[in-house]
Amino acid sequence: MPQALSTDILIVGGGIAGLWLNARLRQLGYATLLVENERLGGGQSVKSQGIIHGGTKYALSGALTGSSEAIADMPRRWREALAGSGELDLSGVRLLSEAHYLWSPGTLAGNLTGFFASKAMRGRVDQVKGSELPPALQDAKFKGKVYRLAELVLDVPSLITRLAEHAGDGLLAGGHIEPLRENGELIGLVVDGRQVRARRIVLSAGQGNAGLLGALGIEQPKQQLRPLHMVLVKAPTLKPLYAHCLGGGTKPRITVTTHPAADGQWAWYLGGDLAEADGVARDEAAQIAFARRELAELLPWVDLSAAEWRTLRVDRAEPAQSGLVRPDNAFLSEQGSLLVGWPTKLALAPDFADRVIAALEREVIHPSSHQELPALPRPPVAAPLWQELFA
């Protein structure tokens, strides 16, 4: 029988939210153990476009909302971490772009120009032209307007690897999880037959939270899934582009990020409205055909004759909301020794950690001394998506 373990905080789910929380807690002196049943970052995290939103895209309706204000401070916190001077040292993580952009085809941006120049948006948005344009938009045929957002785009696989380094010896590969109870109280988990006692247990497994709650016999909080049907395209003619393209509605018509494929070419990863409800309803062939038409209309100067195409279905896991709306903040539910949460998006991983740390402080759960962990089976890190899909 595997050796029993004890720790201050047991985290289940090794995506970016769980890894970030684990790193923060260890920095504060807590003994932690993070359990992952497959690959670190292998769920939603590695499928992320890597944009650290500051909320600007949620202001496309022409007004700042609770959502955009809640997330506004995230780019600063991530930038400081990337510089090695923030709450975590993320120096060494590859930064794909110092900025994300917003572009409008033709005259569509007329009604937004005044808003972007307004006091509310000052310091968040600047119009760019000429040589300041993203490389993919530097073409004589481009007639739109481009705004530079004070946001950034990360290489998510390198982020997962760096956060895993912060975990030290506190990672455990474990597939089967059962509750460990004493006098009816949850005091830990049994992971693949190994008892792990903990003062608090945090579920941060994204879509996996629903199954974990079921295994623990807990009905709340409920989870909702909001599906996407993303598109990837790789071609020798592609140039870097990190941008939302404005459509007629309040969501970007298309969101493009650019990622390095294994053969040195660039791959564009396409989301936005293209990947939402209508895209989800299309099969792979129809979704690729639609994406081809969109790029041909929006970027007609880009030669895609030798392009390779793939699609990817992603389920965003979140706490259930009425009408399946998108939550504004990270979410945390406290139930005795169990904390259950979803960051709701990559950029809000620090907010999720803040909420857990605040809960520990309220319950006066301070770091305590524990024996060093033995050598444990360690989960692997997820491979970059664009390298796996174009292998």
Side-chain angles (χ1 to χ4, degrees):
M1 188 168 177
Q3 178 184 344
L5 305 173
S6 72
T7 190
D8 288 328
I9 314 297
L10 176 58
I11 301 167
V12 185
I16 285 165
L19 288 166
W20 183 292
L21 171 64
N22 189 47
R24 284 286 311 277
L25 291 173
R26 286 191 153 226
Q27 197 176 56
L28 294 171
Y30 289 94
T32 67
L33 183 64
L34 184 149
V35 179
E36 169 56 43
N37 69 338
E38 291 185 2
R39 300 179 300 168
L40 295 170
Q44 279 176 254
S45 292
V46 80
K47 297 168 186 170
S48 164
Q49 289 186 285
I51 306 162
I52 304 301
H53 289 296
T56 312
K57 80 166 186 175
Y58 304 130
L60 293 183
S61 56
L64 289 173
T65 64
S67 171
S68 55
E69 286 301 277
I71 203 171
D73 196 38
M74 289 300 140
R76 177 193 64 80
R77 292 177 65 177
W78 281 88
R79 281 184 199 280
E80 289 176 358
L82 291 164
S85 59
E87 58 218 70
L88 291 179
D89 180 1
L90 297 184
S91 55
V93 172
R94 182 175 183 180
L95 188 61
L96 293 173
S97 180
E98 283 280 358
H100 200 65
Y101 294 82
L102 195 60
W103 108 82
S104 66
T107 58
L108 195 57
N111 61 330
L112 285 173
T113 304
F115 173 62
F116 284 151
S118 71
K119 184 178 176 183
M121 299 304 293
R122 204 163 293 156
R124 299 192 194 199
V125 178
D126 297 298
Q127 189 171 357
V128 295
K129 299 176 181 178
S131 62
E132 292 184 334
L133 291 171
L137 300 181
Q138 290 183 26
D139 190 277
K141 294 180 184 144
F142 178 68
K143 302 298 183 194
K145 288 186 177 178
V146 179
Y147 297 89
R148 186 182 196 271
L149 309 182
E151 302 178 351
L152 59 158
V153 188
L154 304 181
D155 178 58
V156 173
S158 73
L159 171 64
I160 296 165
T161 298
R162 182 73 179 115
L163 288 171
E165 289 170 2
H166 281 297
D169 61 357
L171 295 173
L172 173 62
H176 184 68
I177 289 178
E178 300 171 77
L180 179 62
R181 291 195 169 94
E182 200 170 80
N183 300 322
E185 296 291 319
L186 187 67
I187 59 161
L189 299 174
V190 181
V191 182
D192 290 344
R194 184 196 301 269
Q195 290 190 0
V196 184
R197 291 172 172 259
R199 296 160 71 201
R200 287 295 182 271
I201 300 156
V202 182
L203 304 187
S204 63
Q207 190 172 347
N209 276 354
L212 289 165
L213 288 168
L216 297 176
I218 295 170
E219 293 188 359
Q220 295 291 339
K222 297 290 188 190
Q223 175 176 285
Q224 71 183 28
L225 298 178
R226 289 193 302 128
L228 294 171
H229 194 182
M230 307 288 284
V231 178
L232 291 101
V233 54
K234 178 171 76 88
T237 51
L238 296 186
K239 295 178 182 177
L241 180 60
Y242 302 90
H244 303 299
C245 175
L246 289 173
T250 57
K251 287 184 179 175
R253 177 173 171 178
I254 193 169
T255 295
V256 185
T257 52
T258 311
H259 306 269
D263 61 1
Q265 293 183 21
W266 290 111
W268 281 357
Y269 193 20
L270 311 177
D273 202 44
L274 158 139
E276 299 269 355
D278 290 345
V280 170
R282 289 187 279 263
D283 64 18
E284 182 177 25
Q287 181 70 335
I288 288 171
F290 182 82
R292 276 181 183 275
R293 289 194 300 271
E294 284 288 270
L295 292 181
E297 184 179 328
L298 295 170
L299 304 162
W301 56 89
V302 178
D303 178 7
L304 295 174
S305 58
E308 294 179 60
W309 299 81
R310 303 284 188 276
T311 72
L312 178 73
R313 292 188 181 272
V314 183
D315 283 316
R316 293 165 291 182
E318 302 162 342
Q321 310 281 300
S322 59
L324 279 183
V325 296
R326 171 181 43 77
D328 282 347
N329 303 297
F331 171 89
L332 188 70
S333 166
E334 301 170 51
Q335 302 179 40
S337 62
L338 183 69
L339 289 80
V340 185
W342 292 266
T344 74
K345 60 179 51 64
L346 168 68
L348 286 167
D351 183 43
F352 176 71
D354 289 349
R355 289 166 191 270
V356 174
I357 291 165
L360 297 178
E361 289 173 350
R362 277 196 303 274
E363 297 297 317
V364 199
I365 305 295
H366 297 309
S368 62
S369 58
H370 286 268
Q371 290 182 320
E372 278 191 33
L373 292 167
L376 297 170
R378 190 178 175 96
V381 174
L385 185 71
W386 25 94
Q387 295 188 13
E388 281 201 332
L389 288 176
F390 291 110

